[in-house]
Amino acid sequence: MSRKNKQPSPCNEQDLKRKCPETGSPVIIAISAKLVFTEQNMSPGPAFSFVKALKAVNAELREHYPESQELFKVILIDDNRSDELNKSIKKHRFKGLITCDIISGEDLINKLKENNTHLYLSGSEEMVKEALKNEIAAAVMKTPEKMAEVSESELHIAFDGDAVLFSNESESVYASEGLEAFYKNEREKVNDPMKEGPFKGFLEVLLKLQRKLHDNCPIRTYLVTSRGGGCPGFRALNTLRDWGLEIDEAFCLGGSNKGPKLETIRPHVFFDDQDSHIKDALKFGIVGCHVPNQ
């Protein structure tokens, strides 16, 4: 079952009256270098297509706002392969999008905070958990055995709801009291917005860029949740509406496997807190990013 958000798509909004400023701060995305270029031969890793899509969005932003600094900026977190990385960055024409930093451990978290990082992707669950503790949206990126083809001209990002965009309050009810208690909770609180989850801020900056580009927007966002289409699904949409946020498409799957729906969406990245959903995504060639519970 799929449900589309009834709010107007930010990419097709014709009556947007507020003009976005010509200057602004970049959207900082920090990624472990080995996720973009593999250690073995510097071939494209699971984050490569994601970075390539960020480059395409930047090109669109520069065309319409040539003086604006409100662009994606990628910081590659490297150990000691800066020379090889620089060659690969140049080869794939990522210069201007990517910078490299040789940092690790406590210095890494401090660096992420200093840069006002909006998203951190890594292969290290330990560092991801530490970033989440410091209120930085972060996830462990997993690699499918065979990656699905994704768009090179658009950026598609899919989010789970609970414990990702929203807090884990409803999941906690389900875990401690069972399914019936969960449904009762959602019926009673259908109009009560949930608390924010770790990725609310990242969705906010994506929406800001979408509103700048209007109908030329190459960014598409998706909510792919296990919530059903009744009160649980309505509560998710009501929460986004209460926050003043929009999502391009929302799919309330009622507990069904997420893999088939993700295969049709083909996001560059999919964020979920449940390892089972990440594994399901990987089976369909989708790059799954696990948001570990705190």
PDB file of all heavy atoms in Angstrom, residues 98-134:
ATOM      1  N   ILE A  98      34.214  18.135  -3.332  1.00  0.00           N
ATOM      2  CA  ILE A  98      34.850  17.320  -2.308  1.00  0.00           C
ATOM      3  C   ILE A  98      36.112  17.977  -1.771  1.00  0.00           C
ATOM      4  O   ILE A  98      36.914  18.525  -2.525  1.00  0.00           O
ATOM      5  CB  ILE A  98      35.206  15.925  -2.873  1.00  0.00           C
ATOM      6  CG1 ILE A  98      33.939  15.080  -3.069  1.00  0.00           C
ATOM      7  CG2 ILE A  98      36.172  15.195  -1.964  1.00  0.00           C
ATOM      8  CD1 ILE A  98      34.199  13.708  -3.636  1.00  0.00           C
ATOM      9  N   THR A  99      36.288  17.898  -0.468  1.00  0.00           N
ATOM     10  CA  THR A  99      37.564  18.200   0.177  1.00  0.00           C
ATOM     11  C   THR A  99      37.940  16.989   1.021  1.00  0.00           C
ATOM     12  O   THR A  99      37.082  16.162   1.359  1.00  0.00           O
ATOM     13  CB  THR A  99      37.471  19.444   1.083  1.00  0.00           C
ATOM     14  OG1 THR A  99      36.506  19.203   2.115  1.00  0.00           O
ATOM     15  CG2 THR A  99      37.087  20.672   0.290  1.00  0.00           C
ATOM     16  N   CYS A 100      39.198  16.851   1.360  1.00  0.00           N
ATOM     17  CA  CYS A 100      39.678  15.708   2.134  1.00  0.00           C
ATOM     18  C   CYS A 100      40.220  16.164   3.477  1.00  0.00           C
ATOM     19  O   CYS A 100      40.861  17.209   3.573  1.00  0.00           O
ATOM     20  CB  CYS A 100      40.783  14.959   1.383  1.00  0.00           C
ATOM     21  SG  CYS A 100      40.245  14.250  -0.185  1.00  0.00           S
ATOM     22  N   ASP A 101      39.981  15.365   4.493  1.00  0.00           N
ATOM     23  CA  ASP A 101      40.528  15.606   5.820  1.00  0.00           C
ATOM     24  C   ASP A 101      41.080  14.309   6.370  1.00  0.00           C
ATOM     25  O   ASP A 101      40.467  13.242   6.221  1.00  0.00           O
ATOM     26  CB  ASP A 101      39.457  16.133   6.774  1.00  0.00           C
ATOM     27  CG  ASP A 101      39.489  17.647   6.892  1.00  0.00           C
ATOM     28  OD1 ASP A 101      40.596  18.204   6.891  1.00  0.00           O
ATOM     29  OD2 ASP A 101      38.417  18.263   6.972  1.00  0.00           O
ATOM     30  N   ILE A 102      42.236  14.369   7.018  1.00  0.00           N
ATOM     31  CA  ILE A 102      42.822  13.199   7.663  1.00  0.00           C
ATOM     32  C   ILE A 102      42.570  13.353   9.162  1.00  0.00           C
ATOM     33  O   ILE A 102      43.347  13.977   9.887  1.00  0.00           O
ATOM     34  CB  ILE A 102      44.330  13.072   7.366  1.00  0.00           C
ATOM     35  CG1 ILE A 102      44.558  13.006   5.854  1.00  0.00           C
ATOM     36  CG2 ILE A 102      44.903  11.842   8.028  1.00  0.00           C
ATOM     37  CD1 ILE A 102      46.020  12.996   5.445  1.00  0.00           C
ATOM     38  N   ILE A 103      41.457  12.808   9.636  1.00  0.00           N
ATOM     39  CA  ILE A 103      41.088  12.932  11.033  1.00  0.00           C
ATOM     40  C   ILE A 103      40.445  11.633  11.501  1.00  0.00           C
ATOM     41  O   ILE A 103      39.926  10.856  10.689  1.00  0.00           O
ATOM     42  CB  ILE A 103      40.090  14.095  11.259  1.00  0.00           C
ATOM     43  CG1 ILE A 103      38.987  14.072  10.199  1.00  0.00           C
ATOM     44  CG2 ILE A 103      40.792  15.428  11.265  1.00  0.00           C
ATOM     45  CD1 ILE A 103      37.973  15.185  10.345  1.00  0.00           C
ATOM     46  N   SER A 104      40.484  11.376  12.798  1.00  0.00           N
ATOM     47  CA  SER A 104      39.887  10.161  13.332  1.00  0.00           C
ATOM     48  C   SER A 104      39.589  10.343  14.814  1.00  0.00           C
ATOM     49  O   SER A 104      39.977  11.327  15.439  1.00  0.00           O
ATOM     50  CB  SER A 104      40.834   8.971  13.131  1.00  0.00           C
ATOM     51  OG  SER A 104      42.060   9.195  13.816  1.00  0.00           O
ATOM     52  N   GLY A 105      38.890   9.338  15.409  1.00  0.00           N
ATOM     53  CA  GLY A 105      38.644   9.330  16.835  1.00  0.00           C
ATOM     54  C   GLY A 105      37.918  10.555  17.344  1.00  0.00           C
ATOM     55  O   GLY A 105      36.990  11.069  16.719  1.00  0.00           O
ATOM     56  N   GLU A 106      38.316  11.017  18.529  1.00  0.00           N
ATOM     57  CA  GLU A 106      37.688  12.181  19.147  1.00  0.00           C
ATOM     58  C   GLU A 106      37.832  13.419  18.268  1.00  0.00           C
ATOM     59  O   GLU A 106      36.943  14.270  18.219  1.00  0.00           O
ATOM     60  CB  GLU A 106      38.293  12.448  20.522  1.00  0.00           C
ATOM     61  CG  GLU A 106      37.958  11.373  21.546  1.00  0.00           C
ATOM     62  CD  GLU A 106      38.529  11.703  22.915  1.00  0.00           C
ATOM     63  OE1 GLU A 106      39.063  12.818  23.065  1.00  0.00           O
ATOM     64  OE2 GLU A 106      38.423  10.867  23.809  1.00  0.00           O
ATOM     65  N   ASP A 107      38.956  13.515  17.570  1.00  0.00           N
ATOM     66  CA  ASP A 107      39.160  14.663  16.685  1.00  0.00           C
ATOM     67  C   ASP A 107      38.101  14.696  15.587  1.00  0.00           C
ATOM     68  O   ASP A 107      37.692  15.771  15.139  1.00  0.00           O
ATOM     69  CB  ASP A 107      40.550  14.611  16.048  1.00  0.00           C
ATOM     70  CG  ASP A 107      41.661  14.890  17.061  1.00  0.00           C
ATOM     71  OD1 ASP A 107      41.348  15.502  18.100  1.00  0.00           O
ATOM     72  OD2 ASP A 107      42.801  14.493  16.818  1.00  0.00           O
ATOM     73  N   LEU A 108      37.653  13.516  15.151  1.00  0.00           N
ATOM     74  CA  LEU A 108      36.647  13.450  14.096  1.00  0.00           C
ATOM     75  C   LEU A 108      35.334  14.063  14.568  1.00  0.00           C
ATOM     76  O   LEU A 108      34.747  14.893  13.871  1.00  0.00           O
ATOM     77  CB  LEU A 108      36.422  11.998  13.662  1.00  0.00           C
ATOM     78  CG  LEU A 108      35.257  11.746  12.707  1.00  0.00           C
ATOM     79  CD1 LEU A 108      35.403  12.560  11.442  1.00  0.00           C
ATOM     80  CD2 LEU A 108      35.133  10.269  12.376  1.00  0.00           C
ATOM     81  N   ILE A 109      34.866  13.668  15.726  1.00  0.00           N
ATOM     82  CA  ILE A 109      33.595  14.207  16.235  1.00  0.00           C
ATOM     83  C   ILE A 109      33.692  15.710  16.418  1.00  0.00           C
ATOM     84  O   ILE A 109      32.778  16.459  16.052  1.00  0.00           O
ATOM     85  CB  ILE A 109      33.206  13.522  17.552  1.00  0.00           C
ATOM     86  CG1 ILE A 109      33.007  12.014  17.336  1.00  0.00           C
ATOM     87  CG2 ILE A 109      31.935  14.153  18.109  1.00  0.00           C
ATOM     88  CD1 ILE A 109      31.952  11.653  16.318  1.00  0.00           C
ATOM     89  N   ASN A 110      34.809  16.179  16.958  1.00  0.00           N
ATOM     90  CA  ASN A 110      34.996  17.620  17.124  1.00  0.00           C
ATOM     91  C   ASN A 110      34.981  18.340  15.784  1.00  0.00           C
ATOM     92  O   ASN A 110      34.399  19.419  15.650  1.00  0.00           O
ATOM     93  CB  ASN A 110      36.313  17.910  17.852  1.00  0.00           C
ATOM     94  CG  ASN A 110      36.264  17.487  19.311  1.00  0.00           C
ATOM     95  OD1 ASN A 110      35.194  17.436  19.910  1.00  0.00           O
ATOM     96  ND2 ASN A 110      37.417  17.175  19.874  1.00  0.00           N
ATOM     97  N   LYS A 111      35.613  17.730  14.779  1.00  0.00           N
ATOM     98  CA  LYS A 111      35.654  18.317  13.442  1.00  0.00           C
ATOM     99  C   LYS A 111      34.254  18.380  12.823  1.00  0.00           C
ATOM    100  O   LYS A 111      33.866  19.377  12.200  1.00  0.00           O
ATOM    101  CB  LYS A 111      36.590  17.506  12.542  1.00  0.00           C
ATOM    102  CG  LYS A 111      36.865  18.123  11.186  1.00  0.00           C
ATOM    103  CD  LYS A 111      37.804  19.298  11.296  1.00  0.00           C
ATOM    104  CE  LYS A 111      38.238  19.781   9.922  1.00  0.00           C
ATOM    105  NZ  LYS A 111      39.182  20.909   9.994  1.00  0.00           N
ATOM    106  N   LEU A 112      33.493  17.294  13.010  1.00  0.00           N
ATOM    107  CA  LEU A 112      32.131  17.272  12.476  1.00  0.00           C
ATOM    108  C   LEU A 112      31.292  18.376  13.099  1.00  0.00           C
ATOM    109  O   LEU A 112      30.515  19.048  12.409  1.00  0.00           O
ATOM    110  CB  LEU A 112      31.480  15.903  12.748  1.00  0.00           C
ATOM    111  CG  LEU A 112      32.093  14.684  12.060  1.00  0.00           C
ATOM    112  CD1 LEU A 112      31.355  13.417  12.483  1.00  0.00           C
ATOM    113  CD2 LEU A 112      32.087  14.819  10.552  1.00  0.00           C
ATOM    114  N   LYS A 113      31.453  18.582  14.397  1.00  0.00           N
ATOM    115  CA  LYS A 113      30.695  19.634  15.086  1.00  0.00           C
ATOM    116  C   LYS A 113      31.142  21.020  14.643  1.00  0.00           C
ATOM    117  O   LYS A 113      30.321  21.916  14.429  1.00  0.00           O
ATOM    118  CB  LYS A 113      30.852  19.465  16.597  1.00  0.00           C
ATOM    119  CG  LYS A 113      30.172  18.213  17.130  1.00  0.00           C
ATOM    120  CD  LYS A 113      30.567  17.895  18.553  1.00  0.00           C
ATOM    121  CE  LYS A 113      29.990  18.875  19.541  1.00  0.00           C
ATOM    122  NZ  LYS A 113      30.276  18.469  20.945  1.00  0.00           N
ATOM    123  N   GLU A 114      32.447  21.208  14.498  1.00  0.00           N
ATOM    124  CA  GLU A 114      32.979  22.507  14.065  1.00  0.00           C
ATOM    125  C   GLU A 114      32.457  22.891  12.685  1.00  0.00           C
ATOM    126  O   GLU A 114      32.230  24.070  12.394  1.00  0.00           O
ATOM    127  CB  GLU A 114      34.508  22.480  14.040  1.00  0.00           C
ATOM    128  CG  GLU A 114      35.158  22.457  15.413  1.00  0.00           C
ATOM    129  CD  GLU A 114      36.651  22.231  15.332  1.00  0.00           C
ATOM    130  OE1 GLU A 114      37.201  22.236  14.190  1.00  0.00           O
ATOM    131  OE2 GLU A 114      37.282  22.028  16.388  1.00  0.00           O
ATOM    132  N   ASN A 115      32.273  21.893  11.818  1.00  0.00           N
ATOM    133  CA  ASN A 115      31.805  22.138  10.448  1.00  0.00           C
ATOM    134  C   ASN A 115      30.286  22.180  10.332  1.00  0.00           C
ATOM    135  O   ASN A 115      29.764  22.297   9.220  1.00  0.00           O
ATOM    136  CB  ASN A 115      32.365  21.070   9.509  1.00  0.00           C
ATOM    137  CG  ASN A 115      33.803  21.308   9.116  1.00  0.00           C
ATOM    138  OD1 ASN A 115      34.106  22.189   8.311  1.00  0.00           O
ATOM    139  ND2 ASN A 115      34.711  20.542   9.698  1.00  0.00           N
ATOM    140  N   ASN A 116      29.586  22.054  11.476  1.00  0.00           N
ATOM    141  CA  ASN A 116      28.118  22.017  11.443  1.00  0.00           C
ATOM    142  C   ASN A 116      27.618  20.959  10.458  1.00  0.00           C
ATOM    143  O   ASN A 116      26.758  21.216   9.601  1.00  0.00           O
ATOM    144  CB  ASN A 116      27.546  23.391  11.078  1.00  0.00           C
ATOM    145  CG  ASN A 116      27.869  24.445  12.112  1.00  0.00           C
ATOM    146  OD1 ASN A 116      27.755  24.203  13.317  1.00  0.00           O
ATOM    147  ND2 ASN A 116      28.295  25.612  11.663  1.00  0.00           N
ATOM    148  N   THR A 117      28.179  19.763  10.587  1.00  0.00           N
ATOM    149  CA  THR A 117      27.886  18.674   9.662  1.00  0.00           C
ATOM    150  C   THR A 117      26.414  18.282   9.714  1.00  0.00           C
ATOM    151  O   THR A 117      25.845  18.063  10.791  1.00  0.00           O
ATOM    152  CB  THR A 117      28.767  17.455  10.009  1.00  0.00           C
ATOM    153  OG1 THR A 117      30.144  17.844   9.927  1.00  0.00           O
ATOM    154  CG2 THR A 117      28.511  16.309   9.044  1.00  0.00           C
ATOM    155  N   HIS A 118      25.792  18.174   8.550  1.00  0.00           N
ATOM    156  CA  HIS A 118      24.379  17.804   8.460  1.00  0.00           C
ATOM    157  C   HIS A 118      24.187  16.293   8.354  1.00  0.00           C
ATOM    158  O   HIS A 118      23.119  15.778   8.700  1.00  0.00           O
ATOM    159  CB  HIS A 118      23.739  18.475   7.236  1.00  0.00           C
ATOM    160  CG  HIS A 118      23.708  19.968   7.339  1.00  0.00           C
ATOM    161  ND1 HIS A 118      24.734  20.758   6.854  1.00  0.00           N
ATOM    162  CD2 HIS A 118      22.797  20.810   7.879  1.00  0.00           C
ATOM    163  CE1 HIS A 118      24.438  22.033   7.083  1.00  0.00           C
ATOM    164  NE2 HIS A 118      23.281  22.092   7.694  1.00  0.00           N
ATOM    165  N   LEU A 119      25.205  15.588   7.843  1.00  0.00           N
ATOM    166  CA  LEU A 119      25.093  14.140   7.673  1.00  0.00           C
ATOM    167  C   LEU A 119      26.491  13.526   7.696  1.00  0.00           C
ATOM    168  O   LEU A 119      27.411  14.050   7.069  1.00  0.00           O
ATOM    169  CB  LEU A 119      24.406  13.802   6.342  1.00  0.00           C
ATOM    170  CG  LEU A 119      24.342  12.319   5.956  1.00  0.00           C
ATOM    171  CD1 LEU A 119      23.475  11.528   6.938  1.00  0.00           C
ATOM    172  CD2 LEU A 119      23.807  12.152   4.529  1.00  0.00           C
ATOM    173  N   TYR A 120      26.632  12.417   8.424  1.00  0.00           N
ATOM    174  CA  TYR A 120      27.899  11.694   8.485  1.00  0.00           C
ATOM    175  C   TYR A 120      27.638  10.240   8.128  1.00  0.00           C
ATOM    176  O   TYR A 120      26.794   9.572   8.741  1.00  0.00           O
ATOM    177  CB  TYR A 120      28.501  11.812   9.885  1.00  0.00           C
ATOM    178  CG  TYR A 120      29.680  10.905  10.152  1.00  0.00           C
ATOM    179  CD1 TYR A 120      30.789  10.899   9.310  1.00  0.00           C
ATOM    180  CD2 TYR A 120      29.687  10.059  11.266  1.00  0.00           C
ATOM    181  CE1 TYR A 120      31.879  10.065   9.556  1.00  0.00           C
ATOM    182  CE2 TYR A 120      30.775   9.239  11.525  1.00  0.00           C
ATOM    183  CZ  TYR A 120      31.859   9.239  10.671  1.00  0.00           C
ATOM    184  OH  TYR A 120      32.931   8.416  10.921  1.00  0.00           O
ATOM    185  N   LEU A 121      28.352   9.732   7.131  1.00  0.00           N
ATOM    186  CA  LEU A 121      28.234   8.344   6.691  1.00  0.00           C
ATOM    187  C   LEU A 121      29.568   7.642   6.885  1.00  0.00           C
ATOM    188  O   LEU A 121      30.605   8.143   6.477  1.00  0.00           O
ATOM    189  CB  LEU A 121      27.821   8.287   5.218  1.00  0.00           C
ATOM    190  CG  LEU A 121      26.475   8.925   4.871  1.00  0.00           C
ATOM    191  CD1 LEU A 121      26.248   8.907   3.369  1.00  0.00           C
ATOM    192  CD2 LEU A 121      25.334   8.215   5.592  1.00  0.00           C
ATOM    193  N   SER A 122      29.516   6.458   7.489  1.00  0.00           N
ATOM    194  CA  SER A 122      30.745   5.745   7.812  1.00  0.00           C
ATOM    195  C   SER A 122      30.498   4.246   7.769  1.00  0.00           C
ATOM    196  O   SER A 122      29.346   3.789   7.716  1.00  0.00           O
ATOM    197  CB  SER A 122      31.222   6.156   9.217  1.00  0.00           C
ATOM    198  OG  SER A 122      32.320   5.378   9.640  1.00  0.00           O
ATOM    199  N   GLY A 123      31.582   3.480   7.790  1.00  0.00           N
ATOM    200  CA  GLY A 123      31.479   2.032   7.928  1.00  0.00           C
ATOM    201  C   GLY A 123      31.643   1.605   9.372  1.00  0.00           C
ATOM    202  O   GLY A 123      31.511   0.429   9.700  1.00  0.00           O
ATOM    203  N   SER A 124      31.914   2.549  10.249  1.00  0.00           N
ATOM    204  CA  SER A 124      32.169   2.275  11.664  1.00  0.00           C
ATOM    205  C   SER A 124      30.932   2.556  12.503  1.00  0.00           C
ATOM    206  O   SER A 124      30.524   3.710  12.651  1.00  0.00           O
ATOM    207  CB  SER A 124      33.346   3.127  12.171  1.00  0.00           C
ATOM    208  OG  SER A 124      33.439   3.078  13.576  1.00  0.00           O
ATOM    209  N   GLU A 125      30.348   1.529  13.070  1.00  0.00           N
ATOM    210  CA  GLU A 125      29.178   1.722  13.931  1.00  0.00           C
ATOM    211  C   GLU A 125      29.545   2.508  15.177  1.00  0.00           C
ATOM    212  O   GLU A 125      28.744   3.326  15.666  1.00  0.00           O
ATOM    213  CB  GLU A 125      28.582   0.369  14.323  1.00  0.00           C
ATOM    214  CG  GLU A 125      27.319   0.502  15.151  1.00  0.00           C
ATOM    215  CD  GLU A 125      26.585  -0.817  15.330  1.00  0.00           C
ATOM    216  OE1 GLU A 125      26.694  -1.684  14.445  1.00  0.00           O
ATOM    217  OE2 GLU A 125      25.892  -0.965  16.358  1.00  0.00           O
ATOM    218  N   GLU A 126      30.747   2.286  15.693  1.00  0.00           N
ATOM    219  CA  GLU A 126      31.189   2.999  16.891  1.00  0.00           C
ATOM    220  C   GLU A 126      31.196   4.507  16.661  1.00  0.00           C
ATOM    221  O   GLU A 126      30.694   5.286  17.492  1.00  0.00           O
ATOM    222  CB  GLU A 126      32.584   2.532  17.288  1.00  0.00           C
ATOM    223  CG  GLU A 126      33.148   3.245  18.519  1.00  0.00           C
ATOM    224  CD  GLU A 126      34.568   2.824  18.842  1.00  0.00           C
ATOM    225  OE1 GLU A 126      35.115   1.953  18.133  1.00  0.00           O
ATOM    226  OE2 GLU A 126      35.139   3.375  19.798  1.00  0.00           O
ATOM    227  N   MET A 127      31.771   4.951  15.524  1.00  0.00           N
ATOM    228  CA  MET A 127      31.852   6.385  15.253  1.00  0.00           C
ATOM    229  C   MET A 127      30.477   6.970  14.929  1.00  0.00           C
ATOM    230  O   MET A 127      30.180   8.107  15.274  1.00  0.00           O
ATOM    231  CB  MET A 127      32.825   6.658  14.106  1.00  0.00           C
ATOM    232  CG  MET A 127      34.274   6.306  14.420  1.00  0.00           C
ATOM    233  SD  MET A 127      34.853   6.995  15.996  1.00  0.00           S
ATOM    234  CE  MET A 127      34.574   8.736  15.772  1.00  0.00           C
ATOM    235  N   VAL A 128      29.630   6.178  14.277  1.00  0.00           N
ATOM    236  CA  VAL A 128      28.279   6.634  13.966  1.00  0.00           C
ATOM    237  C   VAL A 128      27.488   6.853  15.255  1.00  0.00           C
ATOM    238  O   VAL A 128      26.795   7.864  15.419  1.00  0.00           O
ATOM    239  CB  VAL A 128      27.556   5.624  13.042  1.00  0.00           C
ATOM    240  CG1 VAL A 128      26.051   5.867  13.042  1.00  0.00           C
ATOM    241  CG2 VAL A 128      28.109   5.736  11.630  1.00  0.00           C
ATOM    242  N   LYS A 129      27.596   5.918  16.192  1.00  0.00           N
ATOM    243  CA  LYS A 129      26.896   6.071  17.473  1.00  0.00           C
ATOM    244  C   LYS A 129      27.390   7.306  18.218  1.00  0.00           C
ATOM    245  O   LYS A 129      26.610   8.026  18.843  1.00  0.00           O
ATOM    246  CB  LYS A 129      27.082   4.821  18.325  1.00  0.00           C
ATOM    247  CG  LYS A 129      26.252   3.626  17.872  1.00  0.00           C
ATOM    248  CD  LYS A 129      26.405   2.467  18.828  1.00  0.00           C
ATOM    249  CE  LYS A 129      25.475   1.315  18.459  1.00  0.00           C
ATOM    250  NZ  LYS A 129      25.603   0.185  19.405  1.00  0.00           N
ATOM    251  N   GLU A 130      28.694   7.544  18.159  1.00  0.00           N
ATOM    252  CA  GLU A 130      29.253   8.711  18.828  1.00  0.00           C
ATOM    253  C   GLU A 130      28.731   9.996  18.192  1.00  0.00           C
ATOM    254  O   GLU A 130      28.422  10.967  18.894  1.00  0.00           O
ATOM    255  CB  GLU A 130      30.782   8.669  18.758  1.00  0.00           C
ATOM    256  CG  GLU A 130      31.487   9.648  19.684  1.00  0.00           C
ATOM    257  CD  GLU A 130      31.210   9.398  21.151  1.00  0.00           C
ATOM    258  OE1 GLU A 130      31.004   8.232  21.539  1.00  0.00           O
ATOM    259  OE2 GLU A 130      31.180  10.391  21.904  1.00  0.00           O
ATOM    260  N   ALA A 131      28.622   9.998  16.870  1.00  0.00           N
ATOM    261  CA  ALA A 131      28.082  11.171  16.178  1.00  0.00           C
ATOM    262  C   ALA A 131      26.623  11.406  16.553  1.00  0.00           C
ATOM    263  O   ALA A 131      26.208  12.544  16.804  1.00  0.00           O
ATOM    264  CB  ALA A 131      28.229  10.996  14.664  1.00  0.00           C
ATOM    265  N   LEU A 132      25.834  10.340  16.612  1.00  0.00           N
ATOM    266  CA  LEU A 132      24.434  10.465  16.983  1.00  0.00           C
ATOM    267  C   LEU A 132      24.282  11.008  18.407  1.00  0.00           C
ATOM    268  O   LEU A 132      23.391  11.808  18.687  1.00  0.00           O
ATOM    269  CB  LEU A 132      23.728   9.111  16.864  1.00  0.00           C
ATOM    270  CG  LEU A 132      23.472   8.610  15.428  1.00  0.00           C
ATOM    271  CD1 LEU A 132      23.070   7.144  15.433  1.00  0.00           C
ATOM    272  CD2 LEU A 132      22.388   9.447  14.739  1.00  0.00           C
ATOM    273  N   LYS A 133      25.169  10.576  19.297  1.00  0.00           N
ATOM    274  CA  LYS A 133      25.148  11.095  20.675  1.00  0.00           C
ATOM    275  C   LYS A 133      25.390  12.599  20.693  1.00  0.00           C
ATOM    276  O   LYS A 133      24.910  13.302  21.584  1.00  0.00           O
ATOM    277  CB  LYS A 133      26.212  10.394  21.524  1.00  0.00           C
ATOM    278  CG  LYS A 133      25.880   8.971  21.901  1.00  0.00           C
ATOM    279  CD  LYS A 133      27.006   8.359  22.717  1.00  0.00           C
ATOM    280  CE  LYS A 133      26.726   6.896  23.030  1.00  0.00           C
ATOM    281  NZ  LYS A 133      27.870   6.289  23.778  1.00  0.00           N
ATOM    282  N   ASN A 134      26.130  13.081  19.704  1.00  0.00           N
ATOM    283  CA  ASN A 134      26.427  14.506  19.602  1.00  0.00           C
ATOM    284  C   ASN A 134      25.448  15.233  18.687  1.00  0.00           C
ATOM    285  O   ASN A 134      25.748  16.309  18.175  1.00  0.00           O
ATOM    286  CB  ASN A 134      27.865  14.706  19.114  1.00  0.00           C
ATOM    287  CG  ASN A 134      28.883  14.453  20.203  1.00  0.00           C
ATOM    288  OD1 ASN A 134      29.249  15.362  20.941  1.00  0.00           O
ATOM    289  ND2 ASN A 134      29.355  13.211  20.329  1.00  0.00           N
TER     290      ASN A 134
END
